[in-house]
Amino acid sequence: MPNNDNGRANIGVVGLAVMGSNLARNLASREGNAVAVYNRTYARTDELITEHPEAGFIASETIDDFVATLAKPRTAIIMVQAGRGTDAVIEQLAERFEPGDIIVDGGNANFNDTIRRERELRERGLNFVGTGISGGEEGALNGPSIMPGGSAEAWKTLGPILKSIAAVAEGEPCVTHVGTDGAGHFVKMVHNGIEYADMQLIAEAYDLLRRVGGLSVEQLVDVFKDWNTGDLESYLIEISAEVLAQKDAETGQPLVDVILDEAGSKGTGVWTVQNALGLGIPVSGIGEAVFARAVSSKPAQRAAVRASVTDRPKAATVPDTFVEDVRAALYASKVVAYAQGFDLIVAGAKEYGWDIDLGALAKIWRAGCIIRARFLNRIVDAYATAPDLETLLVDPYFADAVASGEEAWRRVVGIAVASGVPAPGFSSALAYFDSLAADRLPAALIQGQRDFFGAHTYKRVDKDGTFHTLWSDDRSEIPTTPSTH
């Protein structure tokens, strides 16, 4: 039967699917935590406490009993499906909680919803904390990277609890108070967007080495294992080697060859691109990764185009350095993806009034999360040296890394194009770099076009002010704002 001893739990978890159950078990395994658990269907709660008696969970059949088990300030983490289900649970708790109590949403919520929820609950005297949790099921159980937003008041209570369960990198827990209201879910969204880009780039490296470089799957396993001992060391490189090494039990083929080549997504990558567009931040690497998944998921269109194409380019001849070239291209493209992601975080912080420590953010991504990598220590160092860095691409380490790999990067993109092998991640990253490095961009012509058809005006390189050409009249130029000269 449920144990409803009043005030015994310092933390509660609502929603006991895999993520919620694993998080509850993680909490219960840490000294000082007493964990209350509640699920809308009690059978799931009963299953959890039966399978894990060592956790000492305080279980409840009703939401009222669950609330009664929580010590003040009551603190409950919601781990239910994002959307209306989250709103329903929030309201159930809010009706029973008292001023100063804390409601935590640990799901992949849209940060705009988090901003709204935090404002509404603050008006009722309650603390609402939107918290990004990365690392999947394993991370939830053994130590995730945690990105909480919310008030400083809530952090005082919640911080020690989250630090107790977070992953640890170089002796530091992978959790920080990101900022107010929706900041935590915003940076989790961007984290996931970077994850999309990183995965796409790794997939392109695999594809090029196999289809153009002619490497076998077995050879690719060795390549990825080798890469994981150098500057590309990361969770995603590590698991790529594991996936490539896996054999299909039924056919004996490499598992990667029997997996359907249609990639799905759960929306955070799309949100990242949508919000970047709204904020005017080019995240082309993330965008191309999202679009690549979309293309992969159009089997009818792919089949129609394949049927209409009678001839395809043959794989180009590659240099003996091709494996190293691809590694360099992967690293340079990865730098671009992270630079774009951090640019978006800077823009989001400015737009929504968040004070986000970029170096601290890079620190908490060093363990526990999907994009954990040796690479992140370099980002920590970059922001420690220059907190107001214009872009990661001008940090001396990253600038040198890109410069040293630039020739290889260009060779790889050229070989991909010549071979008819899509490499949108590599290509767009290089185009972004070239755009930033160019002395002059063709945007001048675009501004001329916009002024011609819409009188949108333009600026000049040789004088201050804004101008318009009378295209439909005598084509003389007129100032549209007073000049500062």
Side-chain angles (χ1 to χ4, degrees), residues 51-120:
E51 291 179 352
H52 299 285
E54 76 286 351
F57 290 126
I58 304 169
S60 298
E61 285 195 55
T62 69
I63 193 74
D64 288 315
D65 287 345
F66 171 76
V67 171
T69 66
L70 298 173
K72 296 180 181 179
R74 301 177 184 87
T75 306
I77 302 176
I78 300 171
M79 299 295 291
V80 301
Q81 188 172 3
R84 286 180 293 180
T86 299
D87 279 320
V89 175
I90 289 171
E91 185 56 32
Q92 283 184 310
L93 292 174
E95 289 173 351
R96 294 161 174 84
F97 274 20
E98 298 175 351
D101 289 348
I102 304 165
I103 298 173
V104 182
D105 177 12
N108 265 341
N110 187 304
F111 77 94
N112 290 297
D113 289 335
T114 303
I115 292 174
R116 168 182 59 81
R117 290 162 177 159
E118 193 279 336
R119 181 182 63 249
E120 293 172 352

Side-chain angles (χ1 to χ4, degrees), residues 132-478:
I133 300 176
S134 180
E137 298 171 11
E138 178 187 348
L141 180 61
N142 299 315
S145 174
I146 311 175
M147 296 152 260
S151 67
E153 177 190 10
W155 176 245
K156 289 179 182 178
T157 297
L158 189 61
I161 297 172
L162 296 182
K163 287 178 181 179
S164 75
I165 66 168
V168 176
E170 300 183 17
E172 298 177 293
C174 292
V175 57
T176 189
H177 182 212
V178 177
T180 55
D181 53 60
H185 276 141
F186 185 90
V187 300
K188 176 55 163 59
M189 173 193 76
V190 178
H191 165 283
N192 285 21
I194 294 171
E195 177 186 309
Y196 271 62
D198 213 343
M199 294 172 71
Q200 175 65 26
L201 293 169
I202 292 169
E204 290 178 17
Y206 150 78
D207 201 30
L208 285 165
L209 290 175
R210 190 172 185 190
R211 294 172 59 190
V212 183
L215 274 67
S216 67
V217 174
E218 290 74 17
Q219 289 173 313
L220 283 165
V221 171
D222 293 336
V223 167
F224 276 83
K225 286 182 176 179
D226 179 61
W227 284 356
N228 202 45
T229 64
D231 53 13
L232 281 173
E233 179 189 346
S234 66
Y235 174 71
L236 286 171
I237 291 289
E238 177 187 349
I239 67 168
S240 295
E242 295 284 346
V243 171
L244 290 170
Q246 183 68 22
K247 298 289 186 180
D248 175 48
E250 185 174 335
T251 65
Q253 297 181 61
L255 181 63
V256 71
D257 287 345
V258 299
I259 295 176
L260 186 65
D261 59 340
E262 297 177 17
S265 64
K266 291 189 176 180
T268 46
V270 174
W271 292 349
T272 304
V273 176
Q274 289 172 333
N275 282 282
L277 287 171
L279 292 169
I281 303 300
V283 292
S284 53
I286 298 170
E288 290 295 348
V290 172
F291 297 144
R293 293 194 191 189
V295 170
S296 78
S297 299
K298 304 293 184 192
Q301 287 184 349
R302 292 170 61 191
V305 172
R306 280 199 306 273
S308 70
V309 175
T310 57
D311 189 27
R312 294 288 293 148
K314 294 180 180 179
T317 301
V318 300
D320 294 338
T321 59
F322 191 57
V323 172
E324 173 56 24
D325 283 356
V326 172
R327 186 209 63 79
L330 175 56
Y331 195 73
S333 299
K334 182 184 177 83
V335 173
V336 168
Y338 278 74
Q340 292 177 345
F342 276 85
D343 286 350
L344 179 54
I345 292 170
V346 170
K350 182 177 180 180
E351 176 72 15
Y352 298 102
W354 300 320
D355 183 15
I356 298 178
D357 184 332
L358 299 176
L361 199 58
K363 279 187 176 183
I364 71 169
W365 288 349
R366 292 179 301 174
C369 69
I370 303 302
I371 64 171
R372 59 185 182 265
R374 176 190 299 188
F375 176 90
L376 285 156
N377 275 320
R378 299 293 188 178
I379 297 179
V380 173
D381 293 342
Y383 285 113
T385 303
D388 297 323
L389 197 64
E390 187 67 33
T391 168
L392 282 174
L393 291 169
V394 299
D395 169 75
Y397 170 81
F398 290 117
D400 288 346
V402 170
S404 64
E406 186 178 346
E407 289 186 13
W409 194 7
R410 296 188 187 284
R411 280 196 297 271
V412 168
V413 170
I415 288 170
V417 172
S419 303
V421 175
F426 285 174
S427 302
S428 68
L430 181 57
Y432 175 80
F433 172 74
D434 282 341
S435 294
L436 290 181
D439 291 333
R440 187 162 170 81
L441 294 171
L445 177 57
I446 294 171
Q447 282 300 91
Q449 293 168 334
R450 294 178 73 241
D451 189 60
F452 190 104
F453 66 68
H456 292 294
T457 74
Y458 52 85
K459 294 182 179 180
R460 296 176 57 101
V461 299
D462 55 355
K463 62 179 76 174
D464 291 340
T466 305
F467 301 88
H468 168 58
T469 291
L470 300 174
W471 299 101
S472 300
D473 197 350
D474 63 0
R475 300 206 171 188
S476 60
E477 181 182 78
I478 59 172

